[in-house]
Amino acid sequence: MSKTVNRIAAIAALALAATPIIGLTAAHAGERVQPVARIAVGDLRLAEPADAREFAHRVDVAAHRVCSDRGLRGLSARACRMDFAEDLKDAMTEKQAADLQIAQRAGANIALASN
């Protein structure tokens, strides 16, 4: 009888030891690798309307690429591009944002969130 109890205790101990490993494996399997989009701005003067439009074009291309890589279409893709633009605005320096505002005041018709 004590052999049976010892075996059950050993199996229970092994099961408890394996539980965190199973949990970590499941958590790792659920992780998504977020795509990285790089937008070159070193060759642009964002305060210049033409350069600001070029920047908006590069943003649009990057947003479409990221959202299409996720397999999104329709309204989901539009929401993805809007989120992309918001994330980009958060990542911009104060100077970059100010330069884009100057370009907009100078007549550049730019929008970082495309349809």
Side-chain angles (χ1 to χ4, degrees), residues 11-79:
I11 292 170
L14 288 173
L16 287 174
T19 303
I21 295 170
I22 294 168
L24 289 174
T25 305
H28 179 68
E31 286 180 15
R32 285 188 170 176
V33 175
Q34 294 295 323
V36 175
R38 300 200 188 282
I39 302 167
V41 294
D43 61 329
L44 303 175
R45 295 188 64 214
L46 297 179
E48 297 293 326
D51 284 354
R53 283 190 294 273
E54 175 60 25
F55 174 70
H57 174 71
R58 291 177 188 182
V59 169
D60 191 46
V61 168
H64 277 84
R65 185 177 37 230
V66 166
C67 296
S68 67
D69 286 352
R70 291 182 181 177
L72 302 175
R73 300 191 192 291
L75 291 176
S76 296
R78 185 175 181 195

Side-chain angles (χ1 to χ4, degrees), residues 36-39 41 46 55 59 82-98 100 112:
V36 175
R38 300 200 188 282
I39 302 167
V41 294
L46 297 179
F55 174 70
V59 169
M82 291 171 68
D83 287 343
F84 184 90
E86 284 300 314
D87 290 345
L88 177 69
K89 288 176 187 175
D90 291 342
M92 291 173 61
T93 66
E94 288 181 27
K95 175 148 179 35
Q96 289 170 332
L100 281 176
L112 295 183

